[in-house]
PDB file of all heavy atoms in Angstrom:
ATOM      1  N   LEU O  21      57.675  -0.296  16.994  1.00 90.00           N
ATOM      2  CA  LEU O  21      56.659  -0.665  16.006  1.00 90.00           C
ATOM      3  C   LEU O  21      55.294  -0.071  16.351  1.00 90.00           C
ATOM      4  O   LEU O  21      54.558   0.361  15.453  1.00 90.00           O
ATOM      5  CB  LEU O  21      56.557  -2.187  15.915  1.00 90.00           C
ATOM      6  CG  LEU O  21      57.731  -2.899  15.242  1.00 90.00           C
ATOM      7  CD1 LEU O  21      57.630  -4.402  15.442  1.00 90.00           C
ATOM      8  CD2 LEU O  21      57.784  -2.570  13.756  1.00 90.00           C
ATOM      9  N   THR O  22      54.948  -0.056  17.626  1.00 87.00           N
ATOM     10  CA  THR O  22      53.656   0.510  18.016  1.00 87.00           C
ATOM     11  C   THR O  22      53.637   2.029  17.909  1.00 87.00           C
ATOM     12  O   THR O  22      52.552   2.629  17.900  1.00 87.00           O
ATOM     13  CB  THR O  22      53.314   0.102  19.452  1.00 87.00           C
ATOM     14  OG1 THR O  22      54.400   0.468  20.326  1.00 87.00           O
ATOM     15  CG2 THR O  22      53.100  -1.396  19.547  1.00 87.00           C
ATOM     16  N   ALA O  23      54.820   2.658  17.831  1.00 87.00           N
ATOM     17  CA  ALA O  23      54.882   4.119  17.726  1.00 87.00           C
ATOM     18  C   ALA O  23      54.865   4.617  16.287  1.00 87.00           C
ATOM     19  O   ALA O  23      54.809   5.828  16.056  1.00 87.00           O
ATOM     20  CB  ALA O  23      56.135   4.642  18.423  1.00 87.00           C
ATOM     21  N   VAL O  24      54.903   3.714  15.316  1.00 87.00           N
ATOM     22  CA  VAL O  24      54.861   4.125  13.909  1.00 87.00           C
ATOM     23  C   VAL O  24      53.472   4.679  13.600  1.00 87.00           C
ATOM     24  O   VAL O  24      52.461   4.023  13.898  1.00 87.00           O
ATOM     25  CB  VAL O  24      55.177   2.936  12.984  1.00 87.00           C
ATOM     26  CG1 VAL O  24      55.043   3.344  11.518  1.00 87.00           C
ATOM     27  CG2 VAL O  24      56.587   2.421  13.259  1.00 87.00           C
ATOM     28  N   PRO O  25      53.361   5.876  13.036  1.00 87.00           N
ATOM     29  CA  PRO O  25      52.040   6.460  12.747  1.00 87.00           C
ATOM     30  C   PRO O  25      51.216   5.584  11.813  1.00 87.00           C
ATOM     31  O   PRO O  25      51.723   5.097  10.789  1.00 87.00           O
ATOM     32  CB  PRO O  25      52.390   7.808  12.089  1.00 87.00           C
ATOM     33  CG  PRO O  25      53.772   8.122  12.552  1.00 87.00           C
ATOM     34  CD  PRO O  25      54.466   6.794  12.701  1.00 87.00           C
ATOM     35  N   LYS O  26      49.955   5.407  12.149  1.00 86.00           N
ATOM     36  CA  LYS O  26      49.080   4.546  11.361  1.00 86.00           C
ATOM     37  C   LYS O  26      48.754   5.148   9.992  1.00 86.00           C
ATOM     38  O   LYS O  26      48.493   4.422   9.034  1.00 86.00           O
ATOM     39  CB  LYS O  26      47.787   4.282  12.141  1.00 86.00           C
ATOM     40  CG  LYS O  26      47.993   3.585  13.482  1.00 86.00           C
ATOM     41  CD  LYS O  26      48.607   2.221  13.321  1.00 86.00           C
ATOM     42  CE  LYS O  26      48.773   1.530  14.670  1.00 86.00           C
ATOM     43  NZ  LYS O  26      49.436   0.214  14.549  1.00 86.00           N
ATOM     44  N   TYR O  27      48.782   6.484   9.926  1.00 86.00           N
ATOM     45  CA  TYR O  27      48.389   7.099   8.653  1.00 86.00           C
ATOM     46  C   TYR O  27      49.376   6.781   7.543  1.00 86.00           C
ATOM     47  O   TYR O  27      49.034   6.841   6.350  1.00 86.00           O
ATOM     48  CB  TYR O  27      48.232   8.610   8.817  1.00 86.00           C
ATOM     49  CG  TYR O  27      49.502   9.372   9.102  1.00 86.00           C
ATOM     50  CD1 TYR O  27      50.348   9.783   8.075  1.00 86.00           C
ATOM     51  CD2 TYR O  27      49.855   9.682  10.410  1.00 86.00           C
ATOM     52  CE1 TYR O  27      51.513  10.488   8.338  1.00 86.00           C
ATOM     53  CE2 TYR O  27      51.015  10.382  10.686  1.00 86.00           C
ATOM     54  CZ  TYR O  27      51.837  10.780   9.647  1.00 86.00           C
ATOM     55  OH  TYR O  27      52.993  11.470   9.909  1.00 86.00           O
ATOM     56  N   LEU O  28      50.629   6.451   7.894  1.00 87.00           N
ATOM     57  CA  LEU O  28      51.588   6.070   6.860  1.00 87.00           C
ATOM     58  C   LEU O  28      51.178   4.759   6.191  1.00 87.00           C
ATOM     59  O   LEU O  28      51.255   4.617   4.966  1.00 87.00           O
ATOM     60  CB  LEU O  28      52.982   5.943   7.472  1.00 87.00           C
ATOM     61  CG  LEU O  28      53.591   7.227   8.043  1.00 87.00           C
ATOM     62  CD1 LEU O  28      54.937   6.932   8.685  1.00 87.00           C
ATOM     63  CD2 LEU O  28      53.755   8.270   6.946  1.00 87.00           C
ATOM     64  N   TYR O  29      50.727   3.793   7.001  1.00 84.00           N
ATOM     65  CA  TYR O  29      50.265   2.534   6.433  1.00 84.00           C
ATOM     66  C   TYR O  29      48.960   2.736   5.652  1.00 84.00           C
ATOM     67  O   TYR O  29      48.737   2.068   4.624  1.00 84.00           O
ATOM     68  CB  TYR O  29      50.050   1.505   7.547  1.00 84.00           C
ATOM     69  CG  TYR O  29      51.313   1.089   8.242  1.00 84.00           C
ATOM     70  CD1 TYR O  29      51.527   1.395   9.571  1.00 84.00           C
ATOM     71  CD2 TYR O  29      52.293   0.377   7.564  1.00 84.00           C
ATOM     72  CE1 TYR O  29      52.689   1.016  10.225  1.00 84.00           C
ATOM     73  CE2 TYR O  29      53.458  -0.019   8.209  1.00 84.00           C
ATOM     74  CZ  TYR O  29      53.653   0.310   9.534  1.00 84.00           C
ATOM     75  OH  TYR O  29      54.805  -0.074  10.162  1.00 84.00           O
ATOM     76  N   GLU O  30      48.119   3.634   6.133  1.00 85.00           N
ATOM     77  CA  GLU O  30      46.877   3.894   5.407  1.00 85.00           C
ATOM     78  C   GLU O  30      47.147   4.519   4.048  1.00 85.00           C
ATOM     79  O   GLU O  30      46.507   4.166   3.043  1.00 85.00           O
ATOM     80  CB  GLU O  30      45.979   4.809   6.246  1.00 85.00           C
ATOM     81  CG  GLU O  30      45.492   4.178   7.537  1.00 85.00           C
ATOM     82  CD  GLU O  30      44.753   5.164   8.419  1.00 85.00           C
ATOM     83  OE1 GLU O  30      44.676   6.355   8.019  1.00 85.00           O
ATOM     84  OE2 GLU O  30      44.252   4.760   9.493  1.00 85.00           O
ATOM     85  N   ALA O  31      48.119   5.439   4.010  1.00 88.00           N
ATOM     86  CA  ALA O  31      48.484   6.039   2.726  1.00 88.00           C
ATOM     87  C   ALA O  31      49.083   5.001   1.788  1.00 88.00           C
ATOM     88  O   ALA O  31      48.813   5.004   0.576  1.00 88.00           O
ATOM     89  CB  ALA O  31      49.477   7.186   2.952  1.00 88.00           C
ATOM     90  N   ALA O  32      49.892   4.094   2.341  1.00 85.00           N
ATOM     91  CA  ALA O  32      50.471   3.034   1.507  1.00 85.00           C
ATOM     92  C   ALA O  32      49.392   2.086   0.992  1.00 85.00           C
ATOM     93  O   ALA O  32      49.472   1.593  -0.141  1.00 85.00           O
ATOM     94  CB  ALA O  32      51.519   2.269   2.314  1.00 85.00           C
ATOM     95  N   SER O  33      48.372   1.827   1.826  1.00 85.00           N
ATOM     96  CA  SER O  33      47.277   0.955   1.372  1.00 85.00           C
ATOM     97  C   SER O  33      46.481   1.605   0.240  1.00 85.00           C
ATOM     98  O   SER O  33      46.055   0.926  -0.705  1.00 85.00           O
ATOM     99  CB  SER O  33      46.345   0.641   2.550  1.00 85.00           C
ATOM    100  OG  SER O  33      47.045  -0.013   3.572  1.00 85.00           O
ATOM    101  N   ILE O  34      46.284   2.929   0.342  1.00 86.00           N
ATOM    102  CA  ILE O  34      45.575   3.631  -0.732  1.00 86.00           C
ATOM    103  C   ILE O  34      46.351   3.543  -2.038  1.00 86.00           C
ATOM    104  O   ILE O  34      45.771   3.366  -3.119  1.00 86.00           O
ATOM    105  CB  ILE O  34      45.339   5.096  -0.326  1.00 86.00           C
ATOM    106  CG1 ILE O  34      44.368   5.157   0.868  1.00 86.00           C
ATOM    107  CG2 ILE O  34      44.788   5.903  -1.501  1.00 86.00           C
ATOM    108  CD1 ILE O  34      44.184   6.541   1.425  1.00 86.00           C
ATOM    109  N   ASP O  35      47.677   3.630  -1.948  1.00 82.00           N
ATOM    110  CA  ASP O  35      48.527   3.518  -3.136  1.00 82.00           C
ATOM    111  C   ASP O  35      48.761   2.083  -3.557  1.00 82.00           C
ATOM    112  O   ASP O  35      49.526   1.839  -4.497  1.00 82.00           O
ATOM    113  CB  ASP O  35      49.884   4.189  -2.874  1.00 82.00           C
ATOM    114  CG  ASP O  35      49.746   5.686  -2.689  1.00 82.00           C
ATOM    115  OD1 ASP O  35      48.748   6.246  -3.190  1.00 82.00           O
ATOM    116  OD2 ASP O  35      50.629   6.293  -2.041  1.00 82.00           O
ATOM    117  N   ARG O  36      48.127   1.123  -2.851  1.00 84.00           N
ATOM    118  CA  ARG O  36      48.241  -0.299  -3.154  1.00 84.00           C
ATOM    119  C   ARG O  36      49.690  -0.773  -3.106  1.00 84.00           C
ATOM    120  O   ARG O  36      50.153  -1.529  -3.957  1.00 84.00           O
ATOM    121  CB  ARG O  36      47.630  -0.606  -4.526  1.00 84.00           C
ATOM    122  CG  ARG O  36      46.134  -0.336  -4.605  1.00 84.00           C
ATOM    123  CD  ARG O  36      45.569  -0.731  -5.953  1.00 84.00           C
ATOM    124  NE  ARG O  36      44.131  -0.499  -5.998  1.00 84.00           N
ATOM    125  CZ  ARG O  36      43.372  -0.773  -7.065  1.00 84.00           C
ATOM    126  NH1 ARG O  36      43.950  -1.283  -8.157  1.00 84.00           N
ATOM    127  NH2 ARG O  36      42.071  -0.529  -7.042  1.00 84.00           N
ATOM    128  N   ALA O  37      50.392  -0.323  -2.102  1.00 82.00           N
ATOM    129  CA  ALA O  37      51.776  -0.759  -1.912  1.00 82.00           C
ATOM    130  C   ALA O  37      51.799  -2.171  -1.350  1.00 82.00           C
ATOM    131  O   ALA O  37      50.936  -2.566  -0.564  1.00 82.00           O
ATOM    132  CB  ALA O  37      52.513   0.189  -0.969  1.00 82.00           C
ATOM    133  N   SER O  38      52.796  -2.937  -1.728  1.00 85.00           N
ATOM    134  CA  SER O  38      52.905  -4.313  -1.261  1.00 85.00           C
ATOM    135  C   SER O  38      53.371  -4.343   0.194  1.00 85.00           C
ATOM    136  O   SER O  38      53.847  -3.347   0.746  1.00 85.00           O
ATOM    137  CB  SER O  38      53.905  -5.084  -2.131  1.00 85.00           C
ATOM    138  OG  SER O  38      55.202  -4.524  -2.025  1.00 85.00           O
ATOM    139  N   GLU O  39      53.217  -5.516   0.808  1.00 85.00           N
ATOM    140  CA  GLU O  39      53.638  -5.676   2.209  1.00 85.00           C
ATOM    141  C   GLU O  39      55.134  -5.460   2.352  1.00 85.00           C
ATOM    142  O   GLU O  39      55.592  -4.857   3.326  1.00 85.00           O
ATOM    143  CB  GLU O  39      53.258  -7.073   2.705  1.00 85.00           C
ATOM    144  CG  GLU O  39      53.407  -7.269   4.199  1.00 85.00           C
ATOM    145  CD  GLU O  39      52.393  -6.477   4.989  1.00 85.00           C
ATOM    146  OE1 GLU O  39      51.303  -6.194   4.460  1.00 85.00           O
ATOM    147  OE2 GLU O  39      52.713  -6.126   6.148  1.00 85.00           O
ATOM    148  N   TRP O  40      55.930  -5.967   1.432  1.00 88.00           N
ATOM    149  CA  TRP O  40      57.381  -5.797   1.480  1.00 88.00           C
ATOM    150  C   TRP O  40      57.762  -4.320   1.314  1.00 88.00           C
ATOM    151  O   TRP O  40      58.686  -3.843   1.970  1.00 88.00           O
ATOM    152  CB  TRP O  40      58.040  -6.650   0.410  1.00 88.00           C
ATOM    153  CG  TRP O  40      59.488  -6.342   0.197  1.00 88.00           C
ATOM    154  CD1 TRP O  40      60.065  -5.808  -0.911  1.00 88.00           C
ATOM    155  CD2 TRP O  40      60.549  -6.541   1.144  1.00 88.00           C
ATOM    156  NE1 TRP O  40      61.422  -5.665  -0.727  1.00 88.00           N
ATOM    157  CE2 TRP O  40      61.753  -6.104   0.526  1.00 88.00           C
ATOM    158  CE3 TRP O  40      60.613  -7.040   2.446  1.00 88.00           C
ATOM    159  CZ2 TRP O  40      62.979  -6.157   1.170  1.00 88.00           C
ATOM    160  CZ3 TRP O  40      61.832  -7.098   3.079  1.00 88.00           C
ATOM    161  CH2 TRP O  40      62.991  -6.652   2.455  1.00 88.00           C
ATOM    162  N   PHE O  41      57.040  -3.612   0.453  1.00 88.00           N
ATOM    163  CA  PHE O  41      57.336  -2.186   0.270  1.00 88.00           C
ATOM    164  C   PHE O  41      57.042  -1.408   1.549  1.00 88.00           C
ATOM    165  O   PHE O  41      57.806  -0.516   1.926  1.00 88.00           O
ATOM    166  CB  PHE O  41      56.500  -1.643  -0.895  1.00 88.00           C
ATOM    167  CG  PHE O  41      56.758  -0.193  -1.192  1.00 88.00           C
ATOM    168  CD1 PHE O  41      57.834   0.188  -1.992  1.00 88.00           C
ATOM    169  CD2 PHE O  41      55.936   0.799  -0.660  1.00 88.00           C
ATOM    170  CE1 PHE O  41      58.077   1.522  -2.255  1.00 88.00           C
ATOM    171  CE2 PHE O  41      56.176   2.141  -0.931  1.00 88.00           C
ATOM    172  CZ  PHE O  41      57.256   2.494  -1.730  1.00 88.00           C
ATOM    173  N   ARG O  42      55.942  -1.738   2.228  1.00 88.00           N
ATOM    174  CA  ARG O  42      55.633  -1.061   3.491  1.00 88.00           C
ATOM    175  C   ARG O  42      56.711  -1.326   4.542  1.00 88.00           C
ATOM    176  O   ARG O  42      57.128  -0.424   5.269  1.00 88.00           O
ATOM    177  CB  ARG O  42      54.288  -1.548   4.032  1.00 88.00           C
ATOM    178  CG  ARG O  42      53.104  -1.259   3.127  1.00 88.00           C
ATOM    179  CD  ARG O  42      51.841  -1.810   3.775  1.00 88.00           C
ATOM    180  NE  ARG O  42      50.746  -1.875   2.811  1.00 88.00           N
ATOM    181  CZ  ARG O  42      49.555  -2.371   3.080  1.00 88.00           C
ATOM    182  NH1 ARG O  42      49.303  -2.852   4.290  1.00 88.00           N
ATOM    183  NH2 ARG O  42      48.606  -2.407   2.167  1.00 88.00           N
ATOM    184  N   PHE O  43      57.147  -2.591   4.606  1.00 87.00           N
ATOM    185  CA  PHE O  43      58.169  -2.942   5.594  1.00 87.00           C
ATOM    186  C   PHE O  43      59.487  -2.248   5.290  1.00 87.00           C
ATOM    187  O   PHE O  43      60.154  -1.730   6.194  1.00 87.00           O
ATOM    188  CB  PHE O  43      58.356  -4.461   5.605  1.00 87.00           C
ATOM    189  CG  PHE O  43      59.448  -4.930   6.526  1.00 87.00           C
ATOM    190  CD1 PHE O  43      59.213  -5.061   7.884  1.00 87.00           C
ATOM    191  CD2 PHE O  43      60.706  -5.242   6.027  1.00 87.00           C
ATOM    192  CE1 PHE O  43      60.223  -5.484   8.737  1.00 87.00           C
ATOM    193  CE2 PHE O  43      61.716  -5.664   6.871  1.00 87.00           C
ATOM    194  CZ  PHE O  43      61.475  -5.793   8.233  1.00 87.00           C
ATOM    195  N   ARG O  44      59.851  -2.203   4.013  1.00 88.00           N
ATOM    196  CA  ARG O  44      61.164  -1.664   3.632  1.00 88.00           C
ATOM    197  C   ARG O  44      61.212  -0.147   3.694  1.00 88.00           C
ATOM    198  O   ARG O  44      62.255   0.435   4.021  1.00 88.00           O
ATOM    199  CB  ARG O  44      61.517  -2.149   2.219  1.00 88.00           C
ATOM    200  CG  ARG O  44      62.875  -1.706   1.715  1.00 88.00           C
ATOM    201  CD  ARG O  44      63.197  -2.426   0.410  1.00 88.00           C
ATOM    202  NE  ARG O  44      62.159  -2.242  -0.579  1.00 88.00           N
ATOM    203  CZ  ARG O  44      62.110  -1.214  -1.428  1.00 88.00           C
ATOM    204  NH1 ARG O  44      63.027  -0.266  -1.380  1.00 88.00           N
ATOM    205  NH2 ARG O  44      61.135  -1.129  -2.310  1.00 88.00           N
ATOM    206  N   THR O  45      60.124   0.524   3.417  1.00 89.00           N
ATOM    207  CA  THR O  45      60.145   1.989   3.335  1.00 89.00           C
ATOM    208  C   THR O  45      59.508   2.694   4.526  1.00 89.00           C
ATOM    209  O   THR O  45      59.742   3.882   4.722  1.00 89.00           O
ATOM    210  CB  THR O  45      59.420   2.445   2.051  1.00 89.00           C
ATOM    211  OG1 THR O  45      58.067   1.977   2.075  1.00 89.00           O
ATOM    212  CG2 THR O  45      60.130   1.922   0.820  1.00 89.00           C
ATOM    213  N   ILE O  46      58.708   1.981   5.308  1.00 88.00           N
ATOM    214  CA  ILE O  46      58.034   2.617   6.448  1.00 88.00           C
ATOM    215  C   ILE O  46      58.501   2.013   7.769  1.00 88.00           C
ATOM    216  O   ILE O  46      59.035   2.718   8.636  1.00 88.00           O
ATOM    217  CB  ILE O  46      56.502   2.492   6.315  1.00 88.00           C
ATOM    218  CG1 ILE O  46      56.013   3.186   5.046  1.00 88.00           C
ATOM    219  CG2 ILE O  46      55.818   3.090   7.548  1.00 88.00           C
ATOM    220  CD1 ILE O  46      54.529   3.024   4.794  1.00 88.00           C
ATOM    221  N   THR O  47      58.298   0.707   7.925  1.00 88.00           N
ATOM    222  CA  THR O  47      58.542   0.069   9.218  1.00 88.00           C
ATOM    223  C   THR O  47      60.015   0.092   9.602  1.00 88.00           C
ATOM    224  O   THR O  47      60.389   0.600  10.666  1.00 88.00           O
ATOM    225  CB  THR O  47      58.034  -1.374   9.198  1.00 88.00           C
ATOM    226  OG1 THR O  47      56.654  -1.388   8.815  1.00 88.00           O
ATOM    227  CG2 THR O  47      58.192  -2.012  10.562  1.00 88.00           C
ATOM    228  N   LEU O  48      60.852  -0.472   8.740  1.00 88.00           N
ATOM    229  CA  LEU O  48      62.265  -0.617   9.094  1.00 88.00           C
ATOM    230  C   LEU O  48      62.986   0.715   9.282  1.00 88.00           C
ATOM    231  O   LEU O  48      63.732   0.878  10.259  1.00 88.00           O
ATOM    232  CB  LEU O  48      62.975  -1.465   8.029  1.00 88.00           C
ATOM    233  CG  LEU O  48      64.385  -1.933   8.378  1.00 88.00           C
ATOM    234  CD1 LEU O  48      64.372  -2.756   9.663  1.00 88.00           C
ATOM    235  CD2 LEU O  48      64.973  -2.762   7.237  1.00 88.00           C
ATOM    236  N   PRO O  49      62.814   1.721   8.411  1.00 87.00           N
ATOM    237  CA  PRO O  49      63.515   2.990   8.647  1.00 87.00           C
ATOM    238  C   PRO O  49      63.123   3.692   9.942  1.00 87.00           C
ATOM    239  O   PRO O  49      63.954   4.333  10.575  1.00 87.00           O
ATOM    240  CB  PRO O  49      63.124   3.836   7.426  1.00 87.00           C
ATOM    241  CG  PRO O  49      62.764   2.858   6.378  1.00 87.00           C
ATOM    242  CD  PRO O  49      62.122   1.724   7.100  1.00 87.00           C
TER     243      PRO O  49
END
């Protein structure tokens, strides 16, 4: 989890992605 690039979450925040979408498409994979 700490190795996941932060810019992916920043891009998701700009696109106003939900918390579940971030977890399902970024964190878990």
Side-chain angles (χ1 to χ4, degrees):
L21 288 170
T22 54
V24 176
K26 300 298 181 183
Y27 67 84
L28 296 177
Y29 294 114
E30 295 173 358
S33 300
I34 294 174
D35 294 336
R36 296 183 178 181
S38 63
E39 191 69 27
W40 168 246
F41 182 83
R42 298 179 195 177
F43 176 81
R44 182 171 55 87
T45 59
I46 299 176
T47 305
L48 191 58

